[in-house]
Amino acid sequence: MMRQTRHGVLCAVFFIVQASMAGLYAQNRDQQIRERVDSVLTARYYRTPYDTNYVVRPEGRLTLKLRLNQSGNDLLARGTVNGLSSKADLRTSHKTTFSVAATYRGLSAGLAINPAKLGGFYKDYEMNLNYYSSRLNLDASYQRSTTLSGDIKLGERLSRLESGDITMKVLNVVGYYVFNNRRFSYPAAFTQSYIQRRSAGSWLAGFSYQGGSLETTNELRQRVTNAPDTRIYIGHVGIGGGYAYNWVIGEKWLLHFSMLPTFVLYNRNNITINGERRQAQHTRMNMIFNERAAIIRNFSSRYFAGITLTMNNSFFDDNNVVINQNKWRLRGFFGMRL
């Protein structure tokens, strides 16, 4: 009986030791994987394409940012269908969000909260995608809105459009190539993943696209007697060139301004009222302007704050159909590097 008891105790100890060794091995393996991943990310992070006399990586592995964002969209549409002139001057409700963003060795993640949406007061949807590298940069935004309001005039009849009367779906895309990509950095101004040490500018080449639609809803037809069934279609693409500049003041301030005007080569703008369509001239020369601005303050190597502004403005002159859009987003932020 004693031999059996000792044998059982020895077996239990053996299994405990074996389990501990397996756990220790798994822990060491997980640690090795984490160290390997961190090593790869670190090497990639510091393999900069810039001239380090002008642009460098900031100190610290982790960057945390608190951001306050506000955006809006204004539209002006004008045309003549079956001899009846029409004009709509509309704007969306301003969207305000709070967000938290974290970046580790160039990999980012974020969470945004819209207090008005949580309270049920804001039902619009907007998604933004921004990609900034040394050479190629991309800004894209998609917005679905039912909060458009403003005035619409058909002939001599002036009507007031309220939130819910029109549904808007709009996509804006801007891409641009930076020629002086060794000394000038867009990320220094807009993502703070680099630091611009000396002032530098660059010529740009790029393209713009604006597309989408606006349609009156059943709510409008139920609220307004004989309200016209109206659909406005936006679709145009342009190419062009511009200039960007990062101005470094002392060691604390960075001011950025850039403009990329593009010439619309082809458009499919049209207005349809009660089934009758009026088409814009496809090849009439018009323009889309894309403006960017930023003010960055580096309090120290760890703490920074700033404000950025992005805008897309289209300007059309056409005898048949005119559709102008002014999309903007303003962002304020405070960040720290660990």
Side-chain angles (χ1 to χ4, degrees):
M1 180 67 70
M2 291 288 286
R3 257 198 319 266
Q4 292 179 350
T5 302
R6 286 198 300 271
H7 179 72
V9 171
L10 290 175
C11 288
V13 171
F14 175 76
F15 284 122
I16 291 173
V17 172
Q18 189 178 37
S20 299
M21 292 297 293
L24 182 61
Y25 174 76
Q27 184 178 6
N28 289 337
R29 184 180 59 185
D30 292 342
Q31 183 178 358
Q32 290 174 358
I33 293 175
R34 288 195 298 268
E35 291 176 352
R36 175 59 179 168
V37 171
D38 185 72
S39 176
V40 171
L41 290 177
T42 301
R44 175 181 174 273
Y45 183 74
Y46 284 108
R47 190 170 58 246
T48 175
Y50 293 104
D51 180 347
T52 54
N53 291 316
Y54 285 82
V55 182
V56 296
R57 282 289 195 184
E59 298 178 5
R61 296 184 178 185
L62 179 65
T63 301
L64 300 175
K65 286 193 285 187
L66 296 175
R67 302 186 299 199
L68 172 63
N69 313 286
Q70 188 169 72
S71 60
N73 202 344
D74 303 337
L75 291 109
L76 173 65
R78 186 174 68 249
T80 302
V81 180
N82 286 340
L84 184 66
S85 63
S86 62
K87 180 180 179 181
D89 189 359
L90 309 170
R91 59 189 55 84
T92 63
S93 296
H94 292 171
K95 174 190 174 185
T96 303
T97 61
F98 298 91
S99 62
V100 179
T103 302
Y104 181 81
R105 295 300 196 204
L107 298 179
S108 300
L111 175 65
I113 299 175
N114 186 335
K117 197 173 186 68
L118 292 176
F121 303 108
Y122 186 89
K123 297 183 180 180
D124 289 359
Y125 170 80
E126 183 174 345
M127 180 177 67
N128 291 279
L129 172 65
N130 308 106
Y131 172 76
Y132 299 110
S133 70
S134 59
R135 289 183 173 86
L136 300 175
N137 302 272
L138 180 71
D139 291 317
S141 67
Y142 174 78
Q143 184 178 22
R144 184 186 185 279
S145 174
T146 58
T147 62
L148 279 168
S149 61
D151 298 321
I152 184 169
K153 186 175 182 181
L154 294 175
E156 299 300 322
R157 180 182 176 184
L158 181 65
S159 302
R160 176 68 183 178
L161 294 178
E162 304 294 344
S163 177
D165 290 343
I166 290 184
T167 298
M168 179 187 72
K169 301 175 184 177
V170 174
L171 173 66
N172 289 275
V173 181
V174 183
Y176 32 97
Y177 179 84
V178 178
F179 287 97
N180 189 17
N181 49 67
R182 291 279 296 160
R183 296 182 175 181
F184 169 83
S185 173
Y186 256 105
F190 290 95
T191 66
Q192 294 75 55
S193 56
Y194 286 91
I195 295 177
Q196 185 86 40
R197 300 180 62 187
R198 295 183 181 180
S199 300
S202 176
W203 293 104
L204 309 173
F207 73 93
S208 299
Y209 172 79
Q210 292 184 343
S213 64
L214 292 86
E215 297 184 67
T216 53
T217 64
N218 292 328
E219 285 80 357
L220 173 63
R221 289 183 281 275
Q222 292 173 1
R223 187 174 63 84
V224 180
T225 304
N226 297 325
D229 184 5
T230 304
R231 182 181 185 274
I232 301 172
Y233 179 81
I234 306 168
H236 37 252
V237 61
I239 60 173
Y243 191 77
Y245 192 77
N246 281 345
W247 182 22
V248 179
I249 304 175
E251 297 181 355
K252 303 295 184 181
W253 292 92
L254 171 64
L255 304 183
H256 168 92
F257 179 77
S258 60
M259 176 176 286
L260 178 69
T262 60
F263 295 91
V264 176
L265 303 180
Y266 183 80
N267 81 82
R268 295 182 58 197
N269 296 350
N270 62 73
I271 295 179
T272 303
I273 300 177
N274 294 330
E276 298 293 332
R277 175 179 296 185
R278 186 69 167 175
Q279 189 86 34
Q281 301 178 49
H282 292 311
T283 58
R284 189 176 182 88
M285 191 64 69
N286 290 291
M287 297 193 70
I288 302 173
F289 289 89
N290 305 281
E291 304 97 356
R292 306 288 182 266
I295 302 174
I296 311 299
R297 172 74 159 102
N298 291 295
F299 299 102
S300 67
S301 61
R302 293 186 61 185
Y303 300 102
F304 59 93
I307 299 173
T308 63
L309 174 66
T310 62
M311 298 182 66
N312 307 95
N313 312 110
S314 57
F315 295 92
F316 284 81
D317 181 18
D318 190 277
N319 297 326
N320 300 329
V321 176
V322 172
I323 301 174
N324 294 332
Q325 180 189 190
N326 300 298
K327 178 76 171 65
W328 58 271
R329 186 186 68 185
L330 182 67
R331 168 176 289 171
F333 57 87
F334 174 80
M336 64 182 300
R337 301 182 179 99
L338 302 175

